[in-house]
Amino acid sequence: MSIGVFDSGVGGLTVHHRLVERFPRADFVYLADQANAPYGGRPGEEIVDLTRAGCMRLFDEGCSLVVLACNTAASVALRRLQQTWLPGYRRELGRPVNILGIVVPTIEAATGLPWEHEAERRGEKVEKLDILGVFSTPATAASRVYEIEIDKRRQDVAVFSEPCPELARMIEAGAAREALAEVISGHVKALTARIGRAPDRAILGCTHYEIVADLFRAALPAGTPLIRQPEATADALERYLARHPELDPGQDALRRFLTTGAPGAQNGLVETFWGSPLSFEPA
Ligand code: DGL
């Protein structure tokens, strides 16, 4: 058995990289749905269908657990799939399988609270408001998942989302850093103007943005803490696997990379943060 990691493209490799470091002996299969990327401007139903297809492909490869290393898929599709599709599919497969997202671990890291903790401190006087900026795809921003879930848990945190419609596509296409820096700086300025001041902390709420985290750092006021999704997801997976010994992550250090797109095209971009080219197979 192995752990599947799913993203619309190469952004999820930032999460995969951290998971591999954390679980060096586990088996991993990465699936990039590059034929259908970017997801961020698609209607919700399409995102649900594409995410379901990706999960099925990874379960077919023998994965016991799929990590949706894609904020768009996790915020739009995960709850729907867990409630309406997964229980039946699990029975069909006849073995324990599950899907985890990237949003819950990020919210746990941003609030400093476990997911189960909701609204206990309602009514407390808020001394100082902590402003959290979330940069994401339009679909993630439209889901309002970060606003809704963080508001349930922390009254002293105010979330402001900034949808970045072109950014994931540009990163996936290997756009020049100057062009990316300009777009990122425009989004930081727009968010700052909307809030009335710069955010105190920020979530790069699209895995592609992690690849250019340094450009976000340069555009935000010096020292603005970034909540790191790869780290938060690795922490959450470690806790999850400890609670679920029935989900076998394997132990042969298998690394497979599948794409629904054209194998090979992703290597230049991947190398910049991976350190070496990866060999993708057709999915
Ligand atoms: N990397 C994905 C995310 O975390 C999606 C980017 C896209 O396909 O638009 O949201």
Side-chain angles (χ1 to χ4, degrees):
M1 292 290 140
S2 47
I3 299 174
V5 180
F6 178 74
D7 187 36
S8 60
V10 293
L13 285 169
T14 57
V15 177
H16 175 273
H17 196 230
R18 191 72 198 94
L19 297 183
V20 165
E21 279 173 0
R22 188 71 70 90
F23 308 97
R25 295 185 54 195
D27 297 329
F28 284 94
V29 184
Y30 185 90
L31 173 60
D33 189 13
Q34 291 181 301
N36 298 299
Y39 279 15
R42 288 181 179 274
E45 281 310 310
E46 278 183 30
I47 296 170
V48 172
D49 290 346
L50 293 170
T51 306
R52 185 194 300 110
C55 290
M56 283 173 81
R57 182 74 184 84
L58 286 165
F59 289 138
D60 283 352
E61 285 296 325
C63 295
S64 53
L65 187 64
V66 171
V67 177
L68 296 182
C70 173
N71 288 264
T72 309
S75 57
V76 176
L78 179 55
R79 190 169 292 183
R80 257 279 287 288
L81 295 180
Q82 279 173 332
Q83 288 173 348
T84 62
W85 170 71
L86 192 60
Y89 196 65
R90 195 181 276 135
R91 277 195 297 279
E92 231 174 83
L93 285 176
R95 60 184 173 91
V97 292
N98 207 359
I99 309 172
L100 298 185
I102 191 169
V103 170
V104 169
T106 307
I107 290 175
E108 290 184 322
T111 58
L113 296 168
W115 183 248
E116 302 71 38
H117 183 111
E118 274 186 36
E120 249 169 47
R121 288 152 48 182
R122 278 237 161 257
E124 261 180 27
K125 194 156 168 267
V126 173
E127 296 291 343
K128 185 180 175 298
L129 204 55
D130 179 14
I131 307 260
L132 181 60
V134 181
F135 298 92
S136 73
T137 66
T140 299
S143 80
R144 296 185 55 79
V145 66
Y146 285 107
E147 282 88 337
I148 294 167
E149 298 298 340
I150 291 175
D151 186 59
K152 280 185 201 165
R153 293 165 173 81
R154 287 280 301 264
Q155 269 186 286
D156 58 336
V157 179
V159 179
F160 288 82
S161 284
E162 171 69 10
C164 311
E166 289 303 314
L167 197 51
R169 187 193 54 73
M170 288 175 74
I171 295 169
E172 188 77 27
R177 275 173 66 80
E178 299 70 39
L180 293 169
E182 200 177 315
V183 169
I184 289 168
S185 150
H187 284 299
V188 169
K189 283 192 187 126
L191 181 67
T192 304
R194 198 144 38 80
I195 301 171
R197 67 170 173 89
D200 298 310
R201 299 184 291 153
I203 293 176
L204 304 188
C206 168
T207 51
H208 284 73
Y209 306 170
E210 183 68 31
I211 299 173
V212 288
D214 62 320
L215 297 181
F216 274 95
R217 268 212 198 83
L220 286 160
T224 306
L226 297 183
I227 290 147
R228 312 308 298 256
Q229 293 199 305
E231 193 65 30
T233 308
D235 292 344
L237 184 59
E238 192 167 344
R239 292 192 296 270
Y240 186 83
L241 288 175
R243 291 198 308 275
H244 293 277
E246 76 282 9
L247 296 174
D248 171 18
Q251 51 176 352
D252 295 326
L254 171 86
R255 311 280 178 253
R256 288 186 63 205
F257 299 90
L258 309 178
T259 178
T260 58
Q266 51 289 97
N267 282 0
L269 179 59
V270 166
E271 268 179 67
T272 62
F273 67 95
W274 194 272
S276 57
L278 292 175
S279 169
F280 273 77
E281 310 163 36

